[in-house]
Amino acid sequence: MEEIKIAVIGLGYVGLPLARLFSTKYRTVGYDMNRQRVEALMKGHDATLEVDDELLQKAIRDNGFRCTSDIEDIKDCNFYIVAVPTPVDENNHPDLRPLRIASETVGRVISKDDVVVYESTVYPGVTEEECVPVIERVSGLKLNKDFFAGYSPERVNPGDKTHTVEKIKKVTSGSTPAIADYVDEVYNSVLENGTHKAPSIKVAEASKIIENSQRDVNIAFMNELAKIFNAMGIDTQDVIEAASSKWNFIKMTPGLVGGHCIGVDPYYLIEKAHVYGVLPRVMSNARRLNDGMGSYVANQVIKLMNKKGVMVKDANVLILGFTFKENCPDTRNTKVEDIYRTLEEYTHNITVYDPWVDTEHVKMEYGVDVKKRMPAKEFDVCILAVAHEKFKNIDVRRLVRKGGVVYDVKGVLDRAVVDGRL
């Protein structure tokens, strides 16, 4: 093989950290259609905060890493990595349009003997049955004759500064045994903990989709337990702590399941299962249960308000946090929105405070005004929805009028000040 020149297509939460890492060893170009995103990155700032500005600037300055929206800038590459989103539509069916567009992009630049590796989360078969045919049609080249393919599923955990991309053990695969070895070698060259080479692309695709589906099902079980124990007047967190004293108990907690992985990816496997005549009841029920937890929390809060004599109509409500998880700015598929929408049926006096978010983006995407500073006023209700580190030391009782309600979704506040928790 000639000198490796890498192009990473899609510079979001997955693509940018990966491109930055590869730039430490290979000539690397990041490609994204969003010109504003590219311009910001070339100025040395990543709005997702996945790559520290210092690291990004070092990659640009010392490694020659660059980002572009011009397809001509990736034509001389020979190792293409596709890391674009795989969302679902309004009916929770897989939306493969970003992958198809990215595959068309690859088809316009790929040359003989080049390799394309997909990282986007998909159901088994998408790489070879959906993406490769697009490349073949656009390029006129044939798989395993003129070019080769691989799949290495992303394992990025937004906001996690411990399990960063270079420390993650990656699954790799290729369209031929030789290419599987080659892809594995390329990834191994930049990873601290190595790789697991899967026997086929489909196995690699399946391994990724079940990672997130497993967590979804497990969290759904805990959410169901929370509903049962709340109805019985038993504290779920106390039950989990007691059960955790057994050596083989898997400790998980109930909560809101948002984001672009656990709350979305299972729908891809559910869709494919139906094609093969299999009814995936466990996964489907888990998705329904988890998708309903935002409104469940809101209704639990309303129940507590009624018990304490707090007028629900026009109540002043404070929601702490709007991101889908703690200590990161990611608001994709946040289920805090469901809490907000349910309470909005009773009151428009809802204040959302989250110092992490891009307020303009949230306003455009969700139509919700988010404050980046704590409002100086007293509220009837305070809901801690996201466990940002900054929230853990807040004296919530000073924010809530006497007789008001404090609800802790994440179970991180002092029990003495909390009226209810998930």
Side-chain angles (χ1 to χ4, degrees):
M1 283 282 186
E2 59 185 306
E3 177 192 355
I4 298 171
K5 302 173 184 176
I6 295 176
V8 177
I9 298 171
L11 296 176
Y13 283 85
V14 174
L16 180 65
L18 189 69
R20 198 284 311 171
L21 177 61
F22 272 121
S23 76
T24 61
K25 190 172 181 66
Y26 306 104
R27 195 180 106 188
T28 305
V29 181
Y31 174 85
D32 199 292
M33 293 190 299
N34 186 334
R35 292 183 183 276
Q36 288 182 321
R37 169 74 170 157
V38 166
E39 289 172 4
L41 292 175
M42 288 307 293
K43 289 177 181 176
H45 176 63
D46 171 26
T48 70
L49 305 182
E50 287 303 300
V51 176
D52 292 338
D53 287 356
E54 185 178 339
L55 270 181
L56 178 58
Q57 291 161 16
K58 185 179 189 304
I60 295 170
R61 182 183 65 249
D62 299 345
N63 303 336
F65 174 58
R66 61 195 178 104
C67 304
T68 182
S69 292
D70 186 349
I71 195 173
E72 295 295 322
D73 292 335
I74 60 173
K75 276 193 171 180
D76 64 340
C77 295
N78 51 32
F79 196 97
Y80 296 92
I81 299 174
V82 176
V84 297
T86 44
V88 292
D89 63 20
E90 62 276 8
N91 296 312
N92 291 323
H93 296 303
D95 180 0
L96 297 177
R97 285 177 297 177
L99 270 179
R100 293 192 179 107
I101 292 170
S103 298
E104 288 176 358
T105 299
V106 173
R108 289 164 60 191
V109 296
I110 200 168
S111 301
K112 188 170 176 57
D113 294 328
D114 288 355
V115 175
V116 54
V117 178
Y118 287 85
E119 290 233 354
S120 307
T121 304
V122 293
Y123 55 75
V126 167
T127 299
E128 294 158 295
E129 298 165 12
E130 300 286 346
C131 299
V132 165
V134 172
I135 297 175
E136 291 180 325
R137 172 176 55 79
V138 175
S139 68
L141 303 176
K142 292 297 179 183
L143 179 68
N144 294 336
K145 176 184 177 184
D146 304 309
F147 75 97
F148 303 91
Y151 184 79
S152 180
E154 61 88 5
R155 280 177 168 169
V156 170
N157 185 24
D160 188 339
K161 301 306 179 184
T162 301
H163 302 96
T164 52
V165 64
E166 61 267 28
K167 297 176 183 177
I168 295 171
K169 187 169 186 175
K170 291 270 287 171
V171 174
T172 64
S173 62
S175 54
T176 70
I179 291 302
D181 289 341
Y182 176 61
V183 170
D184 194 66
E185 181 183 343
V186 172
Y187 274 88
N188 248 315
S189 68
V190 294
L191 297 173
E192 295 178 15
N193 292 312
T195 61
H196 173 93
K197 187 171 62 176
S200 70
I201 287 176
K202 285 187 175 68
V203 168
E205 290 170 324
S207 73
K208 171 57 181 177
I209 204 76
I210 70 165
E211 288 175 19
N212 292 335
S213 297
Q214 182 188 61
R215 282 189 58 78
D216 195 39
V217 169
N218 285 340
I219 296 170
F221 176 59
M222 303 313 295
N223 281 335
E224 189 164 66
L225 291 179
K227 287 186 173 184
I228 294 169
F229 295 137
N230 285 342
M232 298 173 69
I234 301 172
D235 189 289
T236 306
Q237 302 289 341
D238 287 344
V239 175
I240 293 170
E241 287 301 319
S244 297
S245 63
K246 189 170 188 286
W247 65 91
N248 61 352
F249 179 78
I250 301 172
K251 186 177 181 180
M252 299 189 74
T253 56
L256 305 176
V257 183
H260 203 271
C261 293
I262 300 174
V264 173
D265 295 344
Y267 287 119
Y268 276 69
L269 190 54
I270 289 169
E271 179 96 352
K272 196 64 173 179
H274 286 144
V275 172
Y276 283 87
V278 178
L279 184 60
R281 287 188 175 89
V282 173
M283 287 192 298
S284 297
N285 289 339
R287 279 283 71 242
R288 278 193 293 271
L289 197 153
N290 285 340
D291 270 351
M293 289 306 292
S295 59
Y296 171 79
V297 166
N299 283 307
Q300 287 294 106
V301 170
I302 291 169
K303 183 178 178 180
L304 284 169
M305 292 171 71
N306 285 328
K307 282 185 174 181
K308 296 192 72 172
V310 178
M311 181 70 70
V312 177
K313 181 174 170 54
D314 298 328
N316 285 305
V317 178
L318 173 65
I319 299 177
L320 296 175
F322 196 79
T323 59
F324 93 88
K325 63 175 293 187
E326 64 275 4
N327 305 321
C328 80
D330 196 347
T331 59
R332 292 175 298 173
N333 191 33
T334 176
K335 294 306 174 183
V336 182
E337 183 197 13
D338 295 344
I339 299 176
Y340 183 94
R341 297 297 175 210
T342 303
L343 293 175
E344 195 179 32
E345 296 177 23
Y346 302 91
T347 177
H348 291 286
N349 301 322
I350 304 174
T351 300
V352 181
Y353 167 55
D354 195 323
W356 279 90
V357 304
D358 179 335
T359 56
E360 291 183 8
H361 172 75
V362 172
K363 179 65 175 177
M364 181 176 65
E365 185 75 14
Y366 297 99
V368 175
D369 289 308
V370 178
K371 307 296 183 185
K372 290 184 77 79
R373 291 187 178 182
M374 178 68 78
K377 61 182 290 188
E378 197 174 55
F379 296 90
D380 300 308
V381 177
C382 175
I383 303 170
L384 187 140
V386 184
H388 291 319
E389 199 64 36
K390 189 173 183 177
F391 292 166
K392 293 180 181 179
N393 295 320
I394 288 179
D395 186 354
V396 290
R397 276 297 170 194
R398 294 186 62 182
L399 299 171
V400 179
R401 69 173 179 80
K402 188 176 181 180
V405 171
V406 174
Y407 193 91
D408 184 5
V409 174
K410 301 297 292 184
V412 296
L413 297 177
D414 183 351
R415 287 277 298 277
V417 303
V418 171
D419 297 293
R421 61 180 185 171
L422 197 58

